[in-house]
Structures are given as C-alpha cells and as structure tokens.
C-alpha cells in the first residue's frame, strides 16, 4: 500500500533504483518489474525500493520538458 501512496513512479516511467536504470513495466504488491536498456527484466522487491532513493527521469521530463 505504501508504494501506491508514495507515487514515486508509475508503469512506463524511466527510473533509476539502486544501480538499475530502466522502464517500469509492472508494479505488484510485493515486487516491481523494470526492463533495462539492454532489454533485461529485473524484478525488484518493493521493500528494497522503499529503503533506497529513486530517480524518476520521466517525472522530470514531464515537469521540465
């Protein structure tokens, strides 16, 4: 539930979580799936996401062009 209320990112956003940069393809209750630029699918536990910083490149592009 915390992931929903934080709204740090949504499906389709390009994000950096720890050392993984890619597009969010799925957000579930316990895990988030990110597809990297090398077309690798990385499954990240939401607990890890909550305890690390997130850079949302898509949100920056939406707000600043």
């Amino acid at each position: 539930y915390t992931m929903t209320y934080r709204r740090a990112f949504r499906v389709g956003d390009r994000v950096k979580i720890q050392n993984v940069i890619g597009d969010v393809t799925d957000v579930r209750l316990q895990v988030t799936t990110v597809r990297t630029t090398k077309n690798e699918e990385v499954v990240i536990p939401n607990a890890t996401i909550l305890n690390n910083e997130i850079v949302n490149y898509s949100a920056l592009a939406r707000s600043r062009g």
Side-chain angles (χ1 to χ4, degrees):
Y1 296 116
T2 305
M3 293 292 294
T4 303
Y5 294 117
R6 254 178 100 185
R7 297 184 189 226
F9 55 84
R10 55 186 169 192
V11 173
D13 284 355
R14 172 137 315 170
V15 296
K16 177 180 179 185
I17 302 169
Q18 286 188 321
N19 60 347
V20 176
I21 298 175
D23 299 325
V24 177
T25 57
D26 192 20
V27 179
R28 295 189 181 191
L29 187 60
Q30 294 186 353
V31 297
T32 296
T33 306
V34 176
R35 183 167 304 277
T36 67
T37 55
K38 294 182 178 181
N39 208 26
E40 301 169 327
E41 191 170 277
V42 181
V43 179
I44 304 171
N46 289 341
T48 301
I49 295 170
L50 291 172
N51 292 323
N52 289 290
E53 78 175 33
I54 301 166
V55 178
N56 187 336
Y57 298 110
S58 298
L60 294 174
R62 279 193 296 270
S63 65
R64 296 185 187 155

